[in-house]
Amino acid sequence: MAKSMVIVESPTKAKTINKYLGPSYLVHSSMGHIRNLPSRKLGVDVEDDFKPQYSIIAKRKEFITKLKKEIKKVDHVYLAPDMDREGEAIAWHLCETLNIPAEKVHRVTFNEITKDSILKAFDHPGTINMDKVNAQQARRILDRLVGYQISPLLWKNVAKGLSAGRVQSVAVKLISEREMEIRAFVPKEYWKIIAKLKPVDGEKGEVDEFVAELLRLKDEKEKIEVNNEKEATAIVDSLNKSQFSVSKVTKKQNKNNASPPFTTSTLQQRASTKLRFSAKKTMMIAQQLYEGIEIGSEGSTGLITYMRTDSFNISEAALQGCRDLIMESYGDKYLPAKSNVYQSQKRSQGAHEAIRPALVEKTPDEIKGFLTNDQYKLYKLIWERFVASQMTPAVYATTDVDIIAGDYQFKTRGRILIFDGHTKISGNEPGDTNLMIPDMKKGDDLDCKKITPSQHFTEPPPRYTEATLVKTMEKKGIGRPSTYAPIISTIQDRGYVNVEKRAFHATDLGILVTEKLEEHFKKILDVGFTSDMEDKLDKIEDSGENWVTVLQNFYGSFKSDLEKAANEMKSEKGAQAESGKECGLCGKPMLIRWGKAGKFLGCSGFPECKNTGAIDGEEEKPQSIKETDENCEKCGSKMIIRNGRNGEFMACSAYPKCKNTKSVNGNDAENNMETDEKCEKCGSPMRIKFSRMGKFLGCSGYPDCKNAKPLPTGVKCPNEGCEGDIIQRRARGKKGFFYGCSNYPECDYITNKLEDVAKDAEKDDEAPEDK
């Protein structure tokens, strides 16, 4: 019988750790958090030092009961969730809920899931770090106070289903402000003048001709501004009469140092720009690599270090292993005399390491056959970045040439790679390629072959991409590494931003909500305040600052803002402008209204007529209606095909008197079909029904019983220890469906293809916990 119990938060992590610990350890997975704040109320007693009202997650109660019995049979309980605040909080919640005796409980942390790291951690266990726990609690309660008390005001004054958040709303503000800058931008004309030149003496070096750009007037320091074609033509006319000659040549060597190993934010940025991965996808795959991948006879093996970090630190053992690999594979020219050290940011968690390969000797090509294509791409990115970070600089020879022609000065630059250094692995960036120019010296005359003026216009500020938004959030201190991916997902799900060609566009709804919050909760949307709050949370963890005091200092002014906003926030629900369109069902005017998805057209005859239509920018598009030859089986009226937000469907033309609808996709025979399953609420048979969200099971006792649930696929969740069924879900804010576990959020297994579930079950490669 096992003498010790180990509890981690992920099934895959449990499997990998169990391989190293052996039969004397019983390893369990908590599937993430086991208790949480209630979902339908604030759950924080603001009058009693912000005491949180935690409750056990319903689907984990059976697991908790089982663990309580097993704990009595073991001598030691090792709590081994992740090493960050969230992991520390999970460990504390486990300890509190399971009532583990103090003499039995041990806290173990590790930065990588390798045999040496795991055994070392279990040889030197510690205790739960309550400063970390309190920092997590403070953040959780702070976010709850903001989200649960501002969101109802948005429901009341804008539309149901909206939300606000201490960090998410600031992210939306950044995108909204950029949107307004772009809309207000007025392009400004400017001209470039390029000269194609050649040394008078003929060929010099490997190239003959080269180009130079007009930089300034000869005796001026500021760059010249050419604002229109007339000015450009006058300059070209003058240059055509002038002799071009070299006035100055500057030669030097430049070193190009390698980039540091990845942190969470830089990994998300690089994966976005190079691999086209979303932040969410990057973190999901990184978690798989961290928790363990089946590597042949080695079994489940952790391939990278912990992926939620903002530190550039690297352990001495990892540095030595990397240096040995560089010497063996590339030679001493590529190995610096001592390890390269990179300075972490001021607020980084120094105890953490950067993201690196757990075993650098496992090259990407060596293990490629065991990885999915996406896993291989991300591992290769991490491996190459880490190894390159410990290599010598690349060396370039640069030549700057100043050229005089009459009253004007031109400039050109040549750049040649002398030694590739770290670029042997990291590769060349677009600006690092060789640019050859002839050998020239001061006083050389040049032949001008052609002068080309070209018209240009200034560009508006670029829209945020995932990469630049993450970079900006990190720079401004908005959120922490673990929050970037979920924030980016949330603001899209809420309809505050759309993504077009990989760039964020603020919607009208996002801009409206930002304006409302800016007016009534200026401090919450202030970037400096948000950054300062992150510093206070760090101080709770780093120096034991009192978390209750931090919340008290925040809540006083926030409560005042809440009370004021409740009375003064202007409602948009009554501001319904006429669209100039008529309702296609009843003929009454269509009005422009606000909803969760933004502006839409709604019939002025509501609630008698509930016809709606879409608005595309300022262009109103009333709902299209097609007649059919089919009659309504309920009232005999003609059935028509209407176009809803989720596609076409058939509806009775007598609406709203008759509300009969059905699918146009050939599923009518299955619609309302009775099943063998009984309703757990009233005992009536459950029926297969259709809605705009797809198939579902609905009680046949409707409308007396409104019980409904997703339609099972008949496939069990492949995650070890999970008893859930795989069900079809609709992707929020996106088109299409995916398959997920019915035990969500305790189990967050997802897949796009139902047939992949069986493959995952065979591999036992569970989807990671996305905290």
Side-chain angles (χ1 to χ4, degrees):
M1 186 178 70
K3 295 182 180 180
S4 299
M5 179 187 292
V6 182
I7 308 176
V8 298
E9 73 275 59
S10 159
T12 306
K13 189 174 175 181
K15 181 178 180 180
T16 309
I17 290 174
N18 197 36
K19 180 182 73 170
Y20 299 129
L21 294 179
S24 60
Y25 289 85
L26 181 64
V27 184
H28 283 292
S29 164
S30 70
M31 302 292 287
H33 280 279
I34 60 167
R35 66 178 187 175
N36 203 351
L37 295 173
S39 60
R40 296 188 178 276
K41 62 178 182 177
L42 183 62
V44 178
D45 190 344
V46 295
E47 303 299 330
D48 186 13
D49 289 340
F50 302 94
K51 184 178 180 180
Q53 299 165 2
Y54 294 119
S55 58
I56 298 174
I57 297 170
K59 293 180 180 178
R60 308 312 295 151
K61 288 182 178 179
E62 186 177 338
F63 171 77
I64 295 300
T65 301
K66 176 185 174 183
L67 248 58
K68 283 183 176 180
K69 293 178 182 178
E70 291 186 359
I71 284 173
K72 296 177 181 178
K73 303 175 184 178
V74 299
D75 298 328
H76 302 281
V77 178
Y78 293 88
L79 303 176
D82 290 339
M83 60 189 297
D84 60 4
R85 292 174 189 167
E86 204 73 23
E88 206 72 22
I90 291 175
W92 177 73
H93 283 299
L94 284 165
C95 189
E96 291 285 300
T97 306
L98 296 170
N99 297 316
I100 308 173
E103 64 274 11
K104 276 190 177 185
V105 67
H106 309 279
R107 173 75 168 117
V108 289
T109 58
F110 33 83
N111 188 54
E112 58 192 26
I113 306 178
T114 59
K115 184 175 181 179
D116 289 345
S117 180
I118 296 300
L119 295 181
K120 182 179 179 181
F122 277 80
D123 284 342
H124 302 89
T127 58
I128 293 175
N129 184 333
M130 286 308 300
D131 288 336
K132 268 190 177 182
V133 174
N134 289 335
Q136 189 275 344
Q137 281 198 117
R139 172 186 289 278
R140 184 77 179 88
I141 294 170
L142 192 61
D143 291 344
R144 175 59 67 104
L145 293 172
V146 173
Y148 267 56
Q149 295 186 92
I150 296 181
S151 297
L153 294 175
L154 297 178
W155 283 46
K156 176 183 176 183
N157 295 296
V158 182
K160 287 185 177 181
L162 301 181
S163 71
R166 184 181 61 87
V167 178
Q168 83 170 49
S169 294
V170 180
V172 175
K173 176 187 175 183
L174 292 176
I175 298 171
S176 296
E177 287 180 337
R178 180 63 55 86
E179 187 74 31
M180 300 311 292
E181 287 179 45
I182 292 170
R183 293 182 185 182
F185 179 79
V186 178
K188 182 180 178 182
E189 181 182 10
Y190 69 97
W191 287 69
K192 285 184 178 181
I193 297 176
I194 303 294
K196 182 185 258 189
L197 305 170
K198 179 180 179 180
V200 171
D201 294 340
E203 275 193 28
K204 291 210 169 187
E206 296 181 36
V207 295
D208 188 4
E209 295 181 346
F210 67 98
V211 296
E213 182 179 351
L214 174 62
L215 186 66
R216 59 174 67 92
L217 286 168
K218 184 168 59 176
D219 297 324
E220 300 289 336
K221 292 184 179 181
E222 298 298 323
K223 187 174 180 179
I224 192 170
E225 288 188 8
V226 184
N227 298 313
N228 51 57
E229 186 176 10
K230 183 179 179 180
E231 292 180 8
T233 301
I235 293 173
V236 171
D237 289 344
S238 174
L239 290 170
N240 282 327
K241 302 172 185 176
S242 303
Q243 173 63 48
F244 285 76
S245 63
V246 176
S247 62
K248 183 179 181 182
V249 177
T250 305
K251 294 185 178 183
K252 58 184 178 181
Q253 288 189 2
N254 293 326
K255 289 184 177 181
N256 176 269
N257 295 318
S259 298
F262 285 125
T263 60
T264 302
S265 68
T266 56
L267 177 62
Q268 290 173 355
Q269 292 169 48
R270 189 62 173 168
S272 175
T273 56
K274 188 167 185 178
L275 305 180
R276 300 296 182 95
F277 286 0
S278 67
K280 185 176 182 179
K281 180 176 181 177
T282 298
M283 296 307 291
M284 181 185 73
I285 297 171
Q287 185 130 2
Q288 294 168 0
L289 296 173
Y290 166 67
E291 293 184 341
I293 302 292
E294 292 289 335
I295 307 294
S297 59
E298 296 181 38
S300 186
T301 304
L303 294 178
I304 65 170
T305 53
Y306 190 55
M307 63 286 155
R308 293 185 179 92
T309 177
D310 52 9
S311 172
F312 291 134
N313 290 341
I314 298 292
S315 70
E316 287 299 324
L319 286 173
Q320 189 57 53
C322 185
R323 290 175 63 82
D324 291 345
L325 181 139
I326 293 170
M327 175 63 82
E328 182 180 340
S329 301
Y330 304 100
D332 58 358
K333 291 191 302 181
Y334 294 90
L335 186 69
K338 58 182 181 180
S339 300
N340 294 331
V341 178
Y342 299 92
Q343 186 66 42
S344 298
Q345 292 184 0
K346 179 182 177 182
R347 61 165 49 131
S348 71
Q349 295 168 301
H352 291 191
E353 282 194 63
I355 303 171
R356 60 169 175 80
L359 302 165
V360 73
E361 62 270 19
K362 291 192 180 297
T363 65
D365 289 340
E366 178 187 335
I367 61 174
K368 184 176 182 179
F370 303 107
L371 306 177
T372 66
N373 190 41
D374 287 342
Q375 288 170 346
Y376 169 73
K377 287 179 180 178
L378 194 65
Y379 181 72
K380 185 172 185 285
L381 200 68
I382 294 168
W383 188 91
E384 289 178 346
R385 178 71 163 240
F386 173 61
V387 175
S389 75
Q390 292 304 315
M391 296 177 76
T392 49
V395 181
Y396 293 87
T398 60
T399 303
D400 290 320
V401 181
D402 292 345
I403 298 162
I404 294 297
D407 293 330
Y408 301 99
Q409 178 183 333
F410 284 71
K411 193 175 189 70
T412 190
R413 166 173 284 189
R415 193 168 191 258
I416 302 171
L417 179 66
I418 297 176
F419 175 64
D420 55 1
H422 69 85
T423 65
K424 193 172 188 69
I425 289 181
S426 61
N428 290 312
E429 293 297 322
D432 293 341
T433 53
N434 287 343
L435 180 62
M436 307 286 288
I437 61 173
D439 292 330
M440 291 175 279
K441 64 181 185 298
K442 183 177 179 180
D444 282 355
D445 287 333
L446 304 169
D447 280 338
C448 180
K449 296 295 184 181
K450 187 177 182 181
I451 300 175
T452 305
S454 57
Q455 183 187 41
H456 302 268
F457 292 91
T458 55
E459 297 283 343
R463 296 186 184 277
Y464 286 109
T465 62
E466 283 208 7
T468 56
L469 182 61
V470 167
K471 184 176 182 179
T472 302
M473 290 173 66
E474 181 183 43
K475 182 179 179 180
K476 293 180 178 294
I478 303 168
R480 299 293 289 162
S482 60
T483 65
Y484 300 144
I487 286 169
I488 288 172
S489 294
T490 298
I491 62 178
Q492 293 177 72
D493 291 343
R494 296 291 182 266
Y496 295 151
V497 302
N498 290 327
V499 179
E500 298 175 20
K501 296 181 180 179
R502 305 186 71 242
F504 288 115
H505 293 245
T507 63
D508 288 340
L509 181 63
I511 293 171
L512 175 67
V513 169
T514 298
E515 290 173 351
K516 294 284 185 189
L517 298 181
E518 186 83 75
E519 180 181 357
H520 298 284
F521 298 96
K522 191 172 289 291
K523 184 178 288 187
I524 295 295
L525 261 67
D526 181 72
V527 172
F529 173 79
T530 305
S531 175
D532 182 60
M533 186 56 68
E534 294 296 343
D535 289 337
K536 286 182 168 62
L537 293 171
D538 288 343
K539 288 179 181 178
I540 295 172
E541 176 180 343
D542 298 336
S543 54
E545 187 166 322
N546 190 295
W547 67 277
V548 174
T549 301
V550 170
L551 292 176
Q552 286 173 338
N553 292 338
F554 161 79
Y555 195 69
S557 60
F558 176 65
K559 184 180 179 182
S560 176
D561 289 342
L562 272 174
E563 293 170 350
K564 190 175 180 181
N567 296 318
E568 298 180 4
M569 185 179 285
K570 180 184 176 183
S571 175
E572 299 298 325
K573 292 185 175 181
Q576 300 172 357
E578 290 195 10
S579 67
K581 303 292 182 179
E582 289 186 354
C583 176
L585 293 181
C586 71
K588 293 183 179 180
M590 296 291 280
L591 303 177
I592 299 175
R593 291 174 169 166
W594 283 97
K596 183 181 178 182
K599 289 179 180 178
F600 69 98
L601 293 179
C603 181
S604 59
F606 182 86
E608 288 75 20
C609 180
K610 298 180 181 178
N611 188 23
T612 61
I615 296 179
D616 185 10
E618 297 302 318
E619 188 73 21
E620 293 85 0
K621 293 185 178 179
Q623 213 169 40
S624 61
I625 297 173
K626 302 175 187 176
E627 293 186 358
T628 72
D629 295 329
E630 192 169 338
N631 293 327
C632 175
E633 57 267 32
K634 292 187 177 180
C635 73
S637 301
K638 285 288 185 182
M639 295 295 285
I640 57 176
I641 295 177
R642 296 178 62 191
N643 189 26
R645 68 177 64 183
N646 294 287
E648 292 185 336
F649 66 97
M650 294 186 74
C652 181
S653 61
Y655 181 88
K657 292 181 180 179
C658 178
K659 299 180 181 179
N660 184 29
T661 62
K662 58 182 180 178
S663 168
V664 294
N665 298 320
N667 295 317
D668 303 321
E670 192 178 6
N671 190 20
N672 219 27
M673 182 186 294
E674 197 167 286
T675 68
D676 294 331
E677 187 165 348
K678 300 295 183 183
C679 174
E680 58 267 33
K681 293 186 177 181
C682 72
S684 301
M686 298 294 283
R687 289 179 174 171
I688 298 175
K689 293 181 178 289
F690 285 83
S691 77
R692 65 182 185 181
M693 305 301 284
K695 296 180 185 178
F696 68 98
L697 285 178
C699 181
S700 59
Y702 181 87
D704 296 323
C705 177
K706 297 181 180 179
N707 185 29
K709 57 186 177 181
L711 182 68
T713 60
V715 179
K716 287 291 185 182
C717 178
N719 277 352
E720 182 182 0
C722 180
E723 301 296 328
D725 296 307
I726 296 300
I727 58 176
Q728 189 182 58
R729 298 184 183 276
R730 186 168 185 86
R732 293 185 64 186
K734 302 176 183 178
K735 295 181 179 179
F737 295 87
F738 66 93
Y739 296 92
C741 181
S742 60
N743 281 340
Y744 179 85
E746 287 72 30
C747 174
D748 64 353
Y749 176 84
I750 59 171
T751 182
N752 288 326
K753 297 180 181 178
L754 194 59
E755 55 266 29
D756 288 345
V757 179
K759 298 176 185 177
D760 289 342
E762 289 175 7
K763 294 190 301 181
D764 199 20
D765 186 16
E766 300 83 350
E769 172 80 41
D770 183 2
K771 300 197 295 294

